[in-house]
Amino acid sequence: MTPLAQIRFGYGPAAGNTGAEAFAPGELMAQLTAPDPESDRFARPDGATRQALMDRHRAEVRRRRKTGDMSDQDENAPGRQLKTIFAEDQLAFVLRPVAARNGFVERLANLWANRLTVGVVGNAGLLIEPFRTEVARAHLAGRFEDMLRASLWHPAMQVYLDQKRSIGPNSSLGLRKGLGLNENLAREFLELHSMGTGYTQADVTELARLLAGMQPDANGPGLNTAAVEPGAKTILGQRFGDDDPVAEIDRLVSVVAARPETALSVARLLARHFISDDPPADLVEALTQAYLREGGDLPALYRVLLDHPAAQDPVLAKLRSPQEYAAACLRALGLTGRETGLPGLHGKQGFRLPEALMRMGQPIFRPRGPDGWPEMAEDWLTPPMMAARIDFAVDAARAAAETKDPLAVTDLVLGDLASPALRFAVQGAEQRWEGVAVLLGSPEFMRR
Amino acid sequence: MALLHLTRRSFLTCAGAAALGSMVSEVVFAAAGSENRLVTILLRGAMDGLDVIRPLGDPDYAGLRPTLLSQAPGGLPLDDRFALHPALEALHPLWQSGEFAFAHALALPYRKGRSHFIGQDALEHGSGRADGAVGPARDGWLNRAIGLIPGADGGTGLSVGQERLMIMEGGVPTGHWFPVEENQLSAQGRSLLDRLHREDPLTGPAFAAAMELATAGGKGKILREAEMYDLLGQELARQLLGPARIAAFALNGWDTHQRQTHLIGERLPLLARVILSLRAALGEAWGRTLVLTMTEFGRTARENGSGGTDHGTGGVMLAAGGLLRGGRAFGDWPGLAEADLLDRRDLMPVDDLRRYPAHALRALFGLEARQLEEVVFPGLDLGRDPGLIL
């Protein structure tokens, strides 16, 4: 038995799983449309709910400041609720893939959310989970162009990349207050989200002129007309700005999404994420062609990826990210991640997943920059990060401890892929839990 | 690599390294014959009592602390004058249940020098002298107190840790003990993993370096700091549920001349963690426990120009425990008007800090007034009982 599909294209086998005999691209593709009640249990409060709470919270803070009220806030105070929501958002980052049935969908949701990174900036952390749902999850089985458009307009992205501060210098607001452009969103849209290469600084500035005045609200795209920069803009050799700005931005997204540079960039992302830090050139080429041929239809690309021989290569070339690693550990042992007061977890706060991930190098929702979490193994392999992985392996093994046979868990999580050396090592431990810890802490289990 | 780190040899090093060398913790225990328990936490570096227990109701306070209050505004209300620093939020429920209290504006007889080293020695020795001198014996007041407790068996104490604390040192043998982490890979488990990673060019170097981190003991940045304090509380409790009745340890890192908001905001939750984990792990015995924090002196009433405060005089003592008559402010409040400050800069001491532990020793272990005034705290005027104990 070889659980390769679950390892390479999911979060690893889960205790109690059976099947997974042969590698079947069709089964992975079927996940894209299959229901997943286990994942749905982690659906988070939507953007409108959060916005309403934030508005109430702001009003409450103002009132307390004005009246000098220092009394305790009760559990239902909007500030408390928001705090809880954000804490649960962070937990869901790990617990959702632990529970989910359709691991490929979860991997894709995280991949796209990372490609179009939004991180914590001020209060905007609360908008991250809505972004992940409304942009990444909503479009992962659709066209890349639609995902790009949703991302560009999403309030989380607008805040994260300072779009609010970008004012057309010749707009009424710009002229009156002497304000100007902020190129942050325009630049990252071209550099990180779409093309990566093939544009100039002039394109960035012109795009920033086009984007000035974007002001989405609860209903989607909208404008602050006072900040819209008048006049024509030339971007990638095409003229924009003669029509309604929202329509023009729409057209711009279509133009950018159709560029060969964007196709190559998306192709490389998929190949590098799922196959290897240094993916086969023919796979990247096949994905690029599929993108151009199918108009950026993402399932078509997934199919090309899964049908390529590299998808079935028994050599696991990629290192699991901390999130993927933690989720795989918990799944392997049938843990939910909410276990508390377990032996070996000194204290009754369970796995403290946000802290554990931070130590492994992935502070949840706080990547270093808009380029998101790294894709290359070396970036996850500093000695303290490795130490944190071993710590987590020990914690997880202790939590499941006495009931697990190390060799049986090895069969479950790696099957035929487990090397003789690994089998020897997990049997060589004196205690069951330690055998499991050796398995989870092994280089083979850290890979996918 | 906290789990692998927590060996006999490295625990304290780690806790210190976790705080970048500034918060070394030493643990000292002694056995005694009573069911009551006293835990003394030395907050070395001079904790800013005016930030921790904030006199928001004092009309002069806000004007003295504009930067600090803008960086960490407000606080959790305690009574109509005082509020708790937001970073101590975790202890607020204890205030409400009567298990937490404080006494403000306390100082040792050592007042004008404002030297950490003299102040810490004076505090641990229990010096009654204005120059803070400790005398040739260099012994600690807890040690002298243990010598007076009927049935105390100082010889059965355990010794663990790097340094001993003067507060527990002296003529009576006392324990010196060190928590041991059980939850780690055995040497065998480690070597099994080592063999697997050694063959792997990708993970091998990182794993080897990680193991070196673990065995070197505190050279790298140890990240699981908060857990260290949970563990410390739990292990303290285990000892206190055994023969130990009097324990002391030190938390360093309170000398906040700059970036006070950041520094104190990091340390206060750790203090809360120790207390709360101790409380949880003691169970019913918490009802027979008193925890006192002491610091060598307070800090200036007025913030300085670098977002901090400088060495002052009147400081705060925090108290917790099931034995405590908590939920109240002990002692008088001298006020913060310029004319009320010592040297126009420090919170004016209203009481001798030593009176509180003296009365606690009397209530918990039956020490007599004469013993306290002559042996434990020479020169102390025991005065009226502040009523700390239920």
Side-chain angles (χ1 to χ4, degrees):
Chain A
M1 187 200 85
T2 305
L4 192 56
Q6 289 162 298
I7 295 172
R8 182 165 284 143
F9 295 101
Y11 283 87
N17 265 18
T18 51
E21 288 302 321
F23 185 88
E27 284 178 20
L28 288 166
M29 291 301 293
Q31 287 188 20
L32 296 176
T33 48
D36 189 343
E38 304 304 325
S39 172
D40 292 345
R41 281 197 294 117
F42 288 88
R44 308 289 307 134
D46 64 17
T49 307
R50 291 161 190 251
Q51 195 55 57
L53 277 169
M54 284 190 267
D55 293 344
R56 281 176 51 205
H57 177 56
R58 240 169 258 142
E60 172 67 8
V61 169
R62 263 199 306 274
R63 184 193 69 74
R64 290 172 83 90
R65 197 176 297 147
K66 217 180 212 165
T67 59
D69 180 358
M70 293 205 313
S71 63
D72 267 0
Q73 303 215 24
D74 67 57
E75 283 305 311
N76 289 323
R80 291 276 180 97
Q81 286 191 53
L82 288 167
K83 219 171 157 182
T84 306
I85 287 175
F86 190 57
E88 289 285 324
D89 286 350
Q90 295 181 63
L91 273 184
F93 182 69
V94 182
L95 300 188
R96 189 166 191 167
V98 169
R101 215 176 277 173
N102 297 332
F104 186 40
V105 171
E106 298 299 319
R107 283 282 300 282
L108 288 168
N110 280 281
L111 173 65
W112 294 119
N114 193 44
R115 162 74 175 215
L116 307 165
T117 287
V118 289
V120 171
V121 180
N123 271 345
L126 281 158
L127 302 175
I128 294 174
E129 192 53 48
F131 180 92
R132 292 165 59 84
T133 303
E134 292 155 21
V135 176
R137 274 183 199 277
H139 295 285
L140 65 84
R143 293 191 320 150
F144 186 62
E145 176 185 334
D146 296 328
M147 191 189 292
L148 265 186
R149 185 172 290 118
S151 162
L152 187 64
W153 278 105
H154 199 279
M157 186 61 81
Q158 295 269 318
V159 173
Y160 183 59
L161 293 179
D162 304 325
Q163 184 56 29
K164 236 186 172 163
R165 296 184 196 176
S166 190
I167 309 296
N170 299 303
S171 67
S172 61
L173 188 58
L175 289 171
R176 184 153 45 89
K177 295 203 171 171
L179 297 172
L181 298 173
N182 181 316
E183 292 181 353
N184 206 2
L185 178 60
R187 180 179 310 284
E188 304 308 7
F189 177 77
L190 291 174
E191 181 178 340
L192 299 174
H193 301 169
S194 58
M195 295 168 64
T197 57
Y199 57 89
T200 65
Q201 172 58 43
D203 290 322
V204 172
T205 307
E206 289 290 280
L207 176 57
R209 291 180 65 225
L210 179 65
L211 300 185
M214 288 176 94
Q215 196 176 73
D217 58 23
N219 304 315
L223 290 172
N224 173 10
T225 47
V228 171
E229 176 73 355
K233 296 97 186 170
T234 305
I235 305 164
L236 302 170
Q238 297 202 33
R239 184 184 163 100
F240 293 88
D242 297 329
D243 199 349
D244 166 60
V246 174
E248 287 291 82
I249 291 169
D250 257 17
R251 189 162 65 85
L252 176 277
V253 172
S254 303
V255 167
V256 168
R259 294 281 298 208
E261 294 93 340
T262 301
L264 175 62
S265 173
V266 168
R268 211 180 264 145
L269 173 77
L270 285 170
R272 183 170 279 167
H273 177 75
F274 284 105
I275 303 298
S276 159
D277 290 358
D278 183 18
D282 69 315
L283 171 60
V284 175
E285 174 61 19
L287 286 165
T288 308
Q289 292 312 317
Y291 183 102
L292 293 171
R293 190 175 60 241
E294 307 288 343
D297 178 54
L298 293 172
L301 272 74
Y302 305 152
R303 187 76 214 200
V304 168
L305 175 72
L306 296 170
D307 283 340
H308 191 276
Q312 299 191 47
D313 190 330
V315 176
L316 301 175
K318 293 284 296 185
L319 191 81
R320 281 176 162 146
S321 72
Q323 180 224 29
E324 291 160 5
Y325 179 68
C329 285
L330 297 172
R331 287 171 66 86
L333 302 178
L335 298 166
T336 66
R338 289 195 194 268
E339 286 81 4
T340 55
L342 295 161
L345 291 175
H346 32 75
K348 296 199 170 176
Q349 292 157 37
F351 287 97
R352 277 166 280 193
L353 288 164
E355 198 180 322
L357 258 70
M358 185 174 72
R359 295 183 61 240
M360 291 188 236
Q362 196 172 21
I364 297 173
F365 299 156
R366 289 176 169 81
R368 276 164 295 184
D371 51 344
W373 303 116
E375 197 57 69
M376 309 296 266
E378 289 76 16
D379 293 319
W380 299 119
L381 282 173
T382 70
M385 290 179 193
M386 172 59 90
R389 285 187 186 226
I390 304 294
D391 280 356
F392 191 83
V394 170
D395 272 357
R398 292 285 291 212
E402 306 315 324
T403 59
K404 295 288 174 183
D405 171 41
L407 210 49
V409 182
T410 306
D411 281 333
L412 171 80
V413 298
L414 285 164
D416 300 342
L417 297 173
S419 69
L422 179 62
R423 287 177 183 278
F424 175 82
V426 301
Q427 288 174 285
E430 275 173 12
Q431 303 169 77
R432 287 182 149 196
W433 76 262
E434 194 160 40
V436 173
V438 167
L439 168 66
L440 301 183
S442 71
E444 283 163 71
F445 188 78
M446 288 187 190
R447 287 188 156 82
R448 60 167 170 79
Chain B
M1 173 79 32
L3 288 174
L4 300 181
H5 252 298
L6 285 172
T7 60
R8 226 171 257 280
R9 275 169 47 73
S10 65
F11 174 83
L12 295 185
T13 320
C14 292
L20 301 172
S22 62
M23 205 164 182
V24 178
S25 153
E26 295 113 31
V27 183
V28 184
F29 290 94
S34 160
E35 267 306 300
N36 292 331
R37 295 161 177 87
L38 174 65
V39 178
T40 303
I41 306 176
L42 298 167
L43 304 175
R44 288 181 168 174
M47 183 177 76
D48 183 19
L50 289 173
D51 200 7
V52 174
I53 302 293
R54 304 171 155 196
L56 292 181
D58 187 299
D60 293 302
Y61 182 67
L64 291 165
R65 306 265 175 140
T67 313
L68 295 175
L69 280 177
S70 73
Q71 288 169 345
L76 298 103
L78 298 176
D79 60 22
D80 42 23
R81 179 179 289 135
F82 295 106
L84 189 62
H85 190 290
L88 271 187
E89 180 181 10
L91 292 183
H92 195 245
L94 270 62
W95 175 271
Q96 288 158 329
S97 59
E99 300 163 83
F100 180 61
F102 66 88
H104 235 309
L106 303 181
L108 294 164
Y110 171 69
R111 284 182 190 182
K112 299 266 183 172
R114 303 186 179 93
S115 150
H116 287 307
F117 312 104
I118 298 174
Q120 286 168 18
D121 281 359
L123 174 60
E124 295 190 45
H125 176 69
S127 171
R129 295 174 50 140
D131 64 2
V134 300
R138 291 190 66 81
D139 57 355
W141 58 264
L142 276 177
N143 188 284
R144 297 192 296 274
I146 291 165
L148 297 169
I149 295 172
D153 180 6
T156 61
L158 298 166
S159 176
V160 195
Q162 289 174 312
E163 294 170 43
R164 302 175 73 97
L165 295 174
M166 190 208 282
I167 195 170
M168 198 60 89
E169 288 301 291
V172 179
T174 54
H176 199 183
W177 169 89
F178 214 113
V180 178
E181 169 58 84
E182 307 287 347
N183 178 29
Q184 55 181 324
L185 286 173
S186 66
Q188 186 194 17
R190 224 194 251 207
S191 112
L192 289 167
L193 267 181
D194 181 51
R195 237 173 292 162
L196 294 172
H197 281 278
R198 202 187 302 157
E199 300 302 318
D200 191 302
L202 188 62
T203 63
F207 184 82
M211 287 302 112
E212 195 154 323
L213 253 187
T215 45
K219 275 199 176 152
K221 185 169 158 68
I222 307 306
L223 295 161
R224 203 181 273 194
E225 181 175 13
E227 287 184 14
M228 297 285 185
Y229 292 87
D230 285 352
L231 186 63
L232 178 58
Q234 287 160 28
E235 297 289 4
L236 264 167
R238 193 187 301 177
Q239 297 297 322
L240 290 167
L241 291 170
R245 291 294 172 269
I246 293 183
F249 64 96
L251 297 180
N252 294 3
W254 304 93
D255 193 19
T256 51
H257 290 282
Q258 51 185 338
R259 297 177 67 231
Q260 172 161 323
T261 302
H262 171 76
L263 293 172
I264 212 164
E266 267 187 344
R267 273 151 183 74
L268 288 174
L270 299 176
L271 176 60
R273 281 186 95 116
V274 176
I275 292 173
L276 290 174
S277 62
L278 178 67
R279 175 174 180 261
L282 275 175
E284 281 186 24
W286 176 253
R288 304 294 298 270
T289 300
L290 176 69
V291 180
L292 298 177
T293 80
M294 294 174 207
T295 193
E296 62 261 34
F297 38 71
R299 308 188 72 84
T300 48
R302 194 173 286 105
E303 67 183 26
N304 65 20
S306 54
T309 49
D310 299 319
H311 299 183
T313 307
V316 79
M317 183 193 76
L318 308 178
L323 281 175
L324 183 69
R325 190 192 301 275
R328 71 193 64 203
F330 289 95
D332 299 320
W333 176 243
L336 290 169
E338 190 160 355
D340 296 326
L341 299 176
L342 178 67
D343 298 341
R344 307 192 131 204
R345 53 173 274 155
D346 300 343
L347 184 64
M348 180 68 77
V350 297
D351 208 344
D352 188 334
L353 162 63
R354 302 175 302 161
R355 287 204 328 109
Y356 285 85
H359 280 282
L361 286 168
R362 194 178 191 190
L364 268 60
F365 301 104
L367 267 59
E368 296 167 22
R370 188 185 49 80
Q371 295 176 315
L372 290 163
E373 292 182 336
E374 290 176 16
V375 180
V376 180
F377 294 114
L380 176 71
D381 178 5
L382 201 52
R384 186 176 52 84
D385 184 350
L388 212 54
I389 305 301
L390 279 173

